[in-house]
């Protein structure tokens, strides 16, 4: 089975390494040898044996009937989107780790694949090496899934873990995550939550069968989280994690990406470093959790190669994936109910009375010098915003949602 690879960066070079290291077992599982015939990249690699496979023109791959599977690890929408369309229309399967592409055009590309009796597979687009797309699509099919909550970004989980355990600065740990090949080309996509947002949009679309537009998902990253917030988390017996969630209640779907305070006893609290974990709740199976390395060369490449094997096994047949183009209207974020942890400047001794007046009863948290800290009751986001507004000139140092 001849494969073309698009992109020879971190993940692309990992794909070559995985196929070469495990060629025998991969051949057994695929039922035929898997061979990389071309590698498309803008660059040449003169000192690397891969150079003899390098091509710069996608038409070489499109026009070669021997190539039945194309694996893409370039990232970004352009030119991946037009490549994916032409490759699928040519009757070749397309396998990708590109979450931007899948979140934006997944429904359409699945439809094109179906029409052409080939496959569009994207296991590596969410959770790095963790199998989650295939379980959602092929295993948990007896259940109504009503919630998926997960740590979906390796870079930010790595940063939060090192900031807390090693007291290192955000910038310092981010540099390390980049050097380890975890971060996006533009790491703002990681730290501002955009990467996790696309991933939860993909999972929600698969869980609910209709398109969840990532642009509709309220998203906050971790750039405002400080060492002081982590001290408070410790006092509250909590960890701070960047969580992506989608939940369905009756016919209402809501989704969000934000840092959350979660109790240390919560299974997601124990997920550290570059690891990701995805918690799935089904109405029959109950709780499931998927855990593993969420970023990095070989774990992500392992998921890409597993899709190549699946595409090889299903040559000539389309694996049905339900993700309609019809868009789900998400519940307005203002109406979602949640509790907040809040830190404010202690301007005077009257501050507690003032907080009680505005927020009603709150749970006080032992505060750092010069501060007052508390956890609110569960309330609608819009009511929380109104109450913060009502505090007037009281300086809010930070506010972090609390997982129930
Ligand atoms: N930058 C991403 C992360 C890579 O850190 O999770 C894997 O999608």
């Amino acid at each position: 089975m001849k494969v073309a690879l698009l992109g020879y960066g971190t993940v692309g070079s990992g794909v070559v390494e995985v196929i070469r290291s495990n060629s025998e077992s991969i051949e057994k599982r695929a039922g035929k040898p898997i061979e990389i015939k071309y590698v498309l990249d803008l660059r040449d690699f003169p000192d690397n044996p891969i150079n003899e496979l390098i091509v710069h023109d996608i038409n070489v791959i499109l026009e070669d009937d021997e190539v039945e599977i194309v694996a893409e690890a370039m990232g970004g929408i352009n030119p991946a989107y037009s490549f994916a369309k032409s490759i699928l229309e040519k009757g070749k399967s397309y396998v990708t780790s590109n979450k931007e592409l899948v979140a934006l055009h997944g429904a359409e590309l699945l439809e094109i694949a179906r029409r052409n009796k080939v496959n569009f597979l994207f296991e590596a687009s969410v959770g790095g090496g963790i199998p989650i797309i295939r379980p959602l699509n092929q295993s948990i099919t007896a259940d109504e899934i009503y919630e998926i909550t997960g740590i979906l970004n390796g870079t930010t989980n790595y940063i939060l873990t090192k900031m807390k355990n090693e007291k290192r600065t955000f910038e310092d740990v981010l540099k390390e995550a980049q050097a380890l090949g975890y971060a996006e080309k533009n790491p703002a996509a990681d730290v501002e939550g955009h990467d996790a947002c696309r991933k939860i949009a993909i999972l929600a679309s698969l869980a609910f069968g209709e398109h969840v537009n990532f642009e509709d998902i309220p998203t906050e990253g971790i750039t405002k989280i400080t060492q002081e917030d982590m001290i408070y988390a410790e006092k509250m017996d909590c960890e701070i994690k960047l969580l992506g969630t989608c939940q369905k209640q009756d016919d209402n779907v809501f989704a969000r990406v934000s840092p959350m305070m979660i109790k240390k006893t919560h299974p997601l609290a124990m997920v550290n470093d570059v690891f990701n974990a995805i918690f799935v709740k089904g109405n029959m199976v109950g709780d499931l959790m998927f855990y593993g390395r969420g970023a990095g060369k070989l774990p992500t490449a392992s998921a890409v190669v597993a899709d190549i094997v699946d595409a090889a096994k299903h040559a000539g047949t389309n694996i049905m994936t339900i993700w309609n183009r019809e868009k789900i209207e998400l519940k307005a974020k203002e109406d979602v109910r949640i509790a907040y942890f809040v830190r404010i400047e202690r301007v005077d001794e009257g501050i507690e009375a003032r907080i009680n007046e505005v927020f009603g009863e709150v749970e006080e948290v032992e505060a750092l010098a010069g501060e007052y800290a508390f956890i609110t009751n569960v309330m609608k986001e819009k009511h929380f915003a109104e109450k913060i507004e009502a505090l007037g000139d009281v300086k809010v140092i930070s506010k972090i949602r609390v997982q129930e």
Side-chain angles (χ1 to χ4, degrees):
M1 178 68 76
K2 305 274 195 249
V3 175
L5 175 64
L6 312 184
Y8 194 69
T10 306
V11 177
S13 59
V15 168
V16 174
E17 197 174 325
V18 170
I19 290 180
R20 294 200 171 153
S21 304
N22 290 348
S23 60
E24 260 180 48
S25 57
I26 288 171
E27 177 176 342
K28 271 192 209 137
R29 289 181 176 128
K32 51 202 108 173
I34 301 287
E35 191 195 319
I36 296 184
K37 185 165 182 184
Y38 303 109
V39 176
L40 179 92
D41 203 287
L42 291 172
R43 301 160 295 177
D44 286 306
F45 299 86
D47 302 325
N48 185 327
I50 202 74
N51 211 37
E52 64 189 46
L53 306 183
I54 290 285
V55 291
H56 301 297
D57 179 2
I58 188 70
N59 290 308
V60 175
I61 294 166
L62 277 170
E63 298 310 325
D64 187 335
D65 291 339
E66 243 193 1
V67 173
E68 291 181 58
I69 302 169
V70 177
E72 178 252 315
M74 301 184 302
I77 299 297
N78 293 312
Y81 175 51
S82 64
F83 285 1
K85 278 200 296 190
S86 345
I87 284 159
L88 292 168
E89 298 282 10
K90 274 277 183 191
K92 304 177 195 295
S93 285
Y94 193 87
V95 166
T96 183
S97 58
N98 185 336
K99 46 263 162 136
E100 293 104 316
L101 177 71
V102 179
L104 192 59
H105 297 295
E108 182 194 356
L109 294 171
L110 281 166
E111 209 174 282
I112 301 177
R114 199 157 41 241
R115 270 207 316 269
N116 288 280
K117 294 196 176 54
V118 290
N119 286 293
F120 175 65
L121 301 174
F122 44 91
E123 184 60 75
S125 65
V126 181
I130 306 173
I132 180 63
I133 303 296
R134 201 164 286 109
L136 281 179
N137 197 28
Q138 290 176 36
S139 311
I140 322 167
T141 48
D143 277 66
E144 294 284 333
I145 293 171
Y146 61 91
E147 178 177 341
I148 300 180
T149 297
I151 294 173
L152 298 168
N153 181 269
T155 303
T156 46
N157 206 42
Y158 190 80
I159 294 174
L160 291 172
T161 306
K162 299 286 176 192
M163 276 175 72
K164 171 148 188 270
N165 294 348
E166 298 172 17
K167 307 275 175 289
R168 287 166 57 195
T169 64
F170 182 96
E171 292 74 19
D172 176 34
V173 190
L174 173 59
K175 273 195 200 123
E176 190 176 285
Q178 287 177 292
L180 289 166
Y182 300 158
E184 298 301 301
K185 270 191 204 115
N186 176 1
D190 296 295
V191 299
E192 299 291 358
H194 305 313
D195 178 74
C197 168
R198 283 167 175 82
K199 290 169 175 167
I200 197 69
I202 295 170
L203 297 180
S205 300
L206 289 173
F208 306 134
E210 288 176 346
H211 185 66
V212 172
N213 187 355
F214 72 87
E215 285 161 320
D216 295 345
I217 301 178
T219 298
E220 279 172 33
I222 63 160
T223 49
K224 293 187 188 133
I225 303 292
T226 61
Q227 289 289 354
E228 286 74 25
D229 292 325
M230 291 184 170
I231 295 171
Y232 277 104
E234 206 51 39
K235 286 174 193 275
M236 292 160 60
D237 220 17
C238 285
E239 300 285 351
I240 302 174
K241 295 289 181 190
L242 183 70
L243 297 189
T245 191
C246 62
Q247 295 172 31
K248 190 175 197 176
Q249 281 160 4
D250 306 321
D251 266 347
N252 264 325
V253 174
F254 101 87
R256 175 181 61 225
V257 172
S258 76
M260 301 284 289
M261 287 276 186
I262 55 174
K263 281 281 176 210
K264 285 191 177 182
T265 47
H266 192 290
L268 291 174
M270 294 153 213
V271 177
N272 287 319
D273 296 314
V274 73
F275 284 84
N276 283 191
I278 301 142
F279 211 71
V280 179
K281 296 188 184 195
N283 66 345
M284 296 291 142
V285 71
D287 294 356
L288 297 165
M289 190 157 117
F290 299 83
Y291 172 83
R293 287 179 190 277
K297 176 174 162 171
L298 294 178
T300 312
S302 157
V304 173
V305 176
D307 275 352
I308 294 176
V309 170
D310 214 14
K313 280 162 71 177
H314 290 90
T317 12
N318 176 256
I319 304 165
M320 194 170 71
T321 305
I322 314 267
W323 177 347
N324 297 332
R325 281 164 109 168
E326 204 171 317
K327 194 181 116 175
I328 300 183
E329 282 306 325
L330 296 183
K331 184 171 175 173
K333 77 166 193 227
E334 294 76 14
D335 290 328
V336 175
R337 293 169 60 80
I338 193 85
Y340 268 90
F341 161 71
V342 185
R343 288 168 59 200
I344 56 175
E345 243 174 34
R346 179 183 276 280
V347 271
D348 54 47
E349 288 310 311
I351 196 72
E352 286 163 58
R354 179 92 178 273
I355 292 298
N356 288 145
E357 192 185 308
V358 175
F359 280 91
E361 210 173 303
V362 294
E363 186 185 328
E364 197 176 329
V365 178
E366 187 197 339
L368 297 176
E371 297 187 9
Y372 182 75
F374 60 97
I375 302 169
T376 69
N377 288 320
V378 172
M379 63 183 77
K380 285 189 175 175
E381 291 270 5
K382 66 178 167 204
H383 294 147
F384 175 75
E386 283 163 14
K387 288 174 196 297
I388 288 286
E389 190 74 23
L391 288 178
D393 56 5
V394 172
K395 186 174 172 215
V396 177
I397 303 167
S398 71
K399 45 188 167 61
I400 301 173
R401 292 177 183 86
V402 180
Q403 179 88 352
E404 275 177 84

